[in-house]
Amino acid sequence: MSQAVTSGMVLAAGLGTRMRPLTLTTPKPLIKVAGRTMADRCLDRLIEAGVDTCVLNTSYLGDQIQDHFKHRSDLNILFSPEDEPLETGGGVTKALPHLSGDAFYVLNGDAVLVNGTQPALTNLHNHWNPDEMDALLLLHPRETAIGFDGTGDFFLDDQGRPTFRGKAESAPYVFTGVQILAKQAFAHKTVTKWSLRDIYMDAITTGRIKAVIHEGDWLHVGTPDGLTLAEEYFAKNS
């Protein structure tokens, strides 16, 4: 079994424009789904996986995020402020000094991950092999993703190797925004605006990427309509 992954990051610096008007006054990670913020739900998943330190990058309405987490003490929470959002890749690169170990979890702060038969991040870690991977992605079947109306992100072969949808009309799997990344994948990256997609493309080229299919439910809460669907989901399944 690979070495434990004990640090993680929640991406929380986005503007949340598709969630307006709610995000005019509240950062998207602090929007509540069934009474609990999406960012808190991300931290819940990280704690289940044995993470003891989590970094949240902040920019838009970042003071609200920092104030909110002053009251949570079940893990060490650090902040990586950005004068303006650095996108996913730049945000993670800036936060690297706070992330311990050779690999770490990264979760998007605008989705809700519901466990299947075992904790989702534990399942992900059970597939992590640092000798063979720079990235391990958690995918979900597009047809059963709640609140997601896109065309899908990835194909997956029988060896668990993902490839981008490319020019295909659709792909069967959507990326949940949940992943394990190796620090070495950032060796030549800079604190500028760039997307983690670059990491995935590099890893696809080198054959150092795999993916796992999520066994539970995944709720994409990117719009007010998505929030309504998420509230309905928890009302039915609580």
Side-chain angles (χ1 to χ4, degrees):
M1 185 174 179
S2 61
Q3 185 178 9
V5 178
T6 59
S7 65
M9 182 170 181
V10 175
L11 300 174
L15 299 175
T17 53
R18 295 178 66 224
M19 189 62 92
R20 290 177 179 171
L22 296 175
T23 48
L24 293 175
T25 55
T26 303
K28 186 159 62 169
L30 293 190
I31 289 175
K32 292 183 177 180
V33 176
R36 191 161 183 77
T37 74
M38 289 190 280
D40 277 298
R41 291 181 179 275
C42 288
L43 295 188
D44 295 343
R45 298 286 83 83
L46 288 167
I47 289 173
E48 289 172 348
V51 166
D52 54 32
T53 299
C54 179
V55 181
L56 292 97
N57 63 331
T58 60
S59 185
Y60 176 68
L61 301 177
D63 289 346
Q64 288 190 36
I65 294 174
Q66 294 197 34
D67 288 343
H68 175 82
F69 285 106
K70 286 178 180 177
H71 308 291
R72 182 155 184 170
S73 59
D74 49 355
L75 81 169
N76 182 31
I77 299 175
L78 305 173
F79 299 98
S80 180
E82 301 170 11
D83 292 335
E84 58 178 331
L86 288 170
E87 300 184 16
T88 54
V92 173
T93 305
K94 186 176 189 295
L96 282 179
H98 299 306
L99 294 162
S100 61
D102 295 328
F104 50 88
Y105 295 100
V106 178
L107 285 72
N108 284 354
D110 62 351
V112 177
L113 192 67
V114 180
N115 288 328
T117 55
Q118 65 175 323
L121 296 192
T122 299
N123 181 40
L124 191 67
H125 182 264
N126 288 343
H127 289 81
W128 173 245
N129 184 340
D131 295 331
E132 299 179 357
M133 304 173 195
D134 286 330
L136 179 62
L137 311 182
L138 187 67
L139 306 183
H140 194 280
R142 175 175 56 88
E143 295 293 341
T144 57
I146 297 168
F148 180 82
D149 59 1
T151 52
D153 302 308
F154 287 100
F155 293 94
L156 196 62
D157 71 13
D158 57 6
Q159 300 297 314
R161 293 173 298 207
T163 52
F164 281 109
R165 174 172 56 86
K167 295 181 179 180
E169 289 188 5
S170 64
Y173 297 103
V174 57
F175 178 40
T176 65
V178 176
Q179 59 210 293
I180 297 176
L181 299 175
K183 272 191 177 176
Q184 67 180 14
F186 294 82
H188 303 291
K189 302 300 184 183
T190 58
V191 182
T192 53
K193 290 184 178 182
W194 60 277
S195 170
L196 285 176
R197 181 184 175 94
D198 293 354
I199 295 286
Y200 315 146
M201 291 177 67
D202 291 346
I204 288 172
T205 299
T206 60
R208 291 185 57 82
I209 188 170
K210 289 288 185 74
V212 175
I213 299 173
H214 178 43
E215 297 175 347
D217 290 327
W218 180 71
L219 292 72
H220 182 248
V221 192
T223 64
D225 287 343
L227 179 59
T228 298
L229 290 173
E231 293 285 359
E232 292 174 351
Y233 169 89
F234 280 103
K236 293 177 183 177
N237 294 280
S238 59

